[in-house]
Amino acid sequence: MQTFDLEAHGLRQLNSALHALRGQTNETAWEIVNPKGSHAIAVGLDAPIDVTVRGSTGYYCAGMNKQATVRVKGSAGPGVAENMMSGTVIIDGDASQYAGATGRGGLLVIKGNASSRCGISMKGIDIVVHGNIGHMSAFMAQSGNMVVLGDAGEALGDSLYEARLFVRGSVKSLGADCIEKEMRPEHIAILADLLKRGEADHLAKPEEFKRYGSARKLYTFNIDNASSY
Amino acid sequence: MTDFPHTPPKMSWTYNNDVNAEIRRAAATGIYDIRGGGSKRKLPHFDDLLFLGASISRYPLEGYREKCATDVWLGTRYAKKPIHLDIPVTIAGMSFGALSGPAKEALGRGASAAGTSTTTGDGGMTEEERGHSKTLVYQYLPSRYGMNPDDLRRADAIEVVVGQGAKPGGGGMLLGQKISDRVAMMRNLPKGIDQRSACRHPDWTGPDDLEIKILEIREITDWEKPIYVKIGGARPYYDTALAVKAGADVVVLDGMQGGTAATQDVFIENVGMPILACIPLAVKALQDLGMHRKVQLIVSGGIRSGADVAKAMALGADAVAIGTAALIALGDNDPALEAEYNKLGTTAGAYDDWHEGKDPAGITTQDPELYSRFDPILGGRRLKNYLKVMTLEAQTIARACGKNHLHNLEPEDLCALTIEGAAMAGVPLAGTSWIPGRNGF
């Protein structure tokens, strides 16, 4: 285990050390102490390593992650795991706005609540939130899966494309072109797998969720839908 | 009474034929006009300015003998690897999707041969342009289509696009007919549907956030790449100042004559400011912050000739970018294709329905039959020639003003032909010392 004191050595040195691990490495386990809400911690990783952050992070922790598993033993600021490509990011606490924004792959797990715009413009990422999510979540979400064990705020899935949204609790309102859809066996299977990988299978069963997706009415511009734009 | 004189027919200036035709079109179709190409209205522009060549009070340089340097460094503020270009004319961001692969290749070939850079667009980086561009700027756009960290690291600079001259504050729309399998894959969307590009970035909400976003990009790319921030010409003083405050190495300022692949005509013609009005305000912001020439300024939007290049630089820009002009150099809207433009209901020079994907020149299309007509080697050669000519023209003017580098051009080398031009550019009306809005007038 490599321990890195962020307060003592600084962000640039941390990310330089982690970027040096691209490809083969024996230094697969890293612990970052004293994050104290710093921004851009462990961004642009591209190696199958485990990074544990002991404390809360600022903006964009684990941004554009590839391959790595990043665990935050605290809460995460805005844009955690933004544009993640692959790997896993697990937040023990809450996450601020835009969690998993534009993520293209991998798994983001938020064990607390997520704020507004969770999964905005997601492009293939899987997101599992144990708590609630805020308004405008999954706005313009293109693909991937979002699982919410708690409640969703206003305008869920507004202008949604092909992303799948699974919510166990209440949804304050659905956004334009987002509708509730049938839960078929394949969706139950997808959800069961996500709950297991999201360390939530002991908290909820797939059958307890509703599925939301795109009505696909706004896929091609039509003046008759102008009130929805 | 048959010879009673009638008042001759008189068209309304307000309801002229163009206006009436658009009213009829809207009534028939139920949708506003979407088109490419940027503003077509007559705007105050560089044509309103003239250079004051040297006579006695200034000493000219010999046209074909004495050197006039043209190179430019971009990104000298923070980047470990700033960009050095032979000429200060760069290729503006244009998306793969809007443009064909061969067109992107030609841009790379032409720009590299002329010693300058190209820029990606909404849709990500293609092998065609990375492979043929010696220096490639990677746009970081609100849509984040095709965005990935590998391409960030393969780029020579990163341009965070906040706004675009043709549509400051607006997003984009790539209509379904241009969504080929490849475009759909690059953008993570189903084939054949309209693709809306967001008007704002999904993971920040203001200039303080932008500063943190730039920090993240720098960390991901190990502080090697210059970070450009591109803004549409709407509030250039404050937007430039905020981009500098956020940590930009380079500010890219795009005036309303800048092009677009597809946007509402009403937006193109009614939002934003001409580049002539934008440059002095951006330069003022840089000067007020003590950052002029430290944070470089690239300006775009209607740059057509070496005279435009020289005028932009005299007003304080470090370099310019061309988009529409580059497409014309490649062969778009060429009169040789007149018969085919006629079949599309238009004429060469006026074709702007780039979103429909039917471009006979094979440049703004994803139709394999159409883009296979376009020769990227020939196109690249034409672009190289055009860039070289622009540079020669700018050098010629600079020498006449006694300058041994294009960057030594200054506002004192200019006068204005029109009051509008004088007021916007902040240079005297020709034959006077009057700068409207200054000197107490």
Side-chain angles (χ1 to χ4, degrees), chain B residues 287-336:
Chain B
Q287 289 170 337
D288 287 351
L289 294 167
M291 299 303 284
H292 191 215
R293 306 297 187 199
K294 295 175 184 169
V295 170
Q296 287 80 34
L297 178 67
I298 301 175
V299 304
S300 54
I303 303 286
R304 307 151 298 176
S305 66
D308 291 349
V309 176
K311 289 170 185 175
M313 298 187 79
L315 292 175
D318 295 276
V320 303
I322 59 169
T324 304
L327 300 186
I328 294 167
L330 294 187
D332 211 65
N333 267 299
D334 195 311

Side-chain angles (χ1 to χ4, degrees), chain B residues 60-339:
Chain B
L61 298 186
E62 200 62 58
Y64 292 94
R65 291 291 179 270
E66 293 181 283
K67 298 288 183 195
C68 178
T70 63
D71 68 316
V72 58
W73 284 94
L74 299 168
T76 52
R77 187 184 186 189
Y78 291 120
K80 287 185 207 168
K81 296 181 177 176
I83 286 173
H84 184 245
L85 302 176
D86 295 340
I87 63 172
V89 187
T90 67
I91 304 301
M94 290 176 276
S95 74
F96 174 76
L99 299 191
S100 66
K104 278 298 210 181
E105 178 184 333
L107 292 174
R109 287 178 179 275
S112 297
T116 192
S117 60
T118 61
T119 310
T120 65
D122 212 351
M125 185 185 291
T126 63
E127 293 309 315
E128 286 94 331
E129 63 187 338
R130 178 63 282 185
H132 292 93
S133 297
K134 180 169 177 276
T135 306
L136 179 61
V137 182
Y138 186 37
Q139 284 196 329
Y140 190 83
L141 288 135
S143 72
R144 308 280 166 85
Y145 288 140
M147 181 67 229
N148 76 70
D150 298 332
D151 289 342
L152 271 181
R153 293 181 177 118
R154 289 205 300 164
D156 299 293
I158 294 146
E159 182 172 303
V160 179
V161 179
V162 181
Q164 183 180 345
K167 46 185 176 182
M173 175 81 90
L174 190 63
L175 295 182
Q177 53 263 47
K178 288 185 81 170
I179 313 302
S180 65
D181 288 328
R182 183 178 174 191
V183 174
M185 185 189 71
M186 287 179 71
R187 299 187 180 211
N188 306 85
L189 283 166
K191 185 180 177 183
I193 67 166
D194 297 345
Q195 298 192 352
R196 290 161 286 173
S197 300
C199 68
R200 59 180 188 263
H201 283 265
D203 54 356
W204 87 65
T205 52
D208 293 337
D209 290 2
L210 171 59
E211 184 173 350
I212 303 169
K213 171 56 69 176
I214 289 174
L215 168 73
E216 183 206 13
I217 296 171
R218 284 209 169 97
E219 282 296 318
I220 289 171
T221 54
D222 292 321
W223 289 72
E224 290 183 346
K225 327 281 183 186
I227 307 293
Y228 300 9
V229 174
K230 180 174 181 177
I231 53 177
R235 294 174 180 82
Y237 182 88
Y238 295 106
D239 287 347
T240 299
L242 288 170
V244 171
K245 186 258 180 190
D249 293 301
V250 175
V251 174
V252 181
L253 176 62
D254 193 23
M256 75 174 286
Q257 296 101 325
T260 176
T263 291
Q264 306 93 329
D265 174 84
V266 69
F267 201 141
I268 294 170
E269 300 290 12
N270 293 283
V271 183
M273 295 206 304
I275 191 62
L276 183 63
C278 294
I279 298 174
L281 294 170
V283 171
K284 179 79 166 52
L286 292 168
Q287 289 170 337
D288 287 351
L289 294 167
M291 299 303 284
H292 191 215
R293 306 297 187 199
K294 295 175 184 169
V295 170
Q296 287 80 34
L297 178 67
I298 301 175
V299 304
S300 54
I303 303 286
R304 307 151 298 176
S305 66
D308 291 349
V309 176
K311 289 170 185 175
M313 298 187 79
L315 292 175
D318 295 276
V320 303
I322 59 169
T324 304
L327 300 186
I328 294 167
L330 294 187
D332 211 65
N333 267 299
D334 195 311
L337 297 165
E338 179 65 14

Side-chain angles (χ1 to χ4, degrees), chain A residues 137-156:
Chain A
S137 289
F139 178 49
M140 292 176 78
Q142 295 181 203
S143 58
N145 300 288
M146 175 183 281
V147 180
V148 182
L149 275 68
D151 302 330
E154 293 172 326
L156 177 71

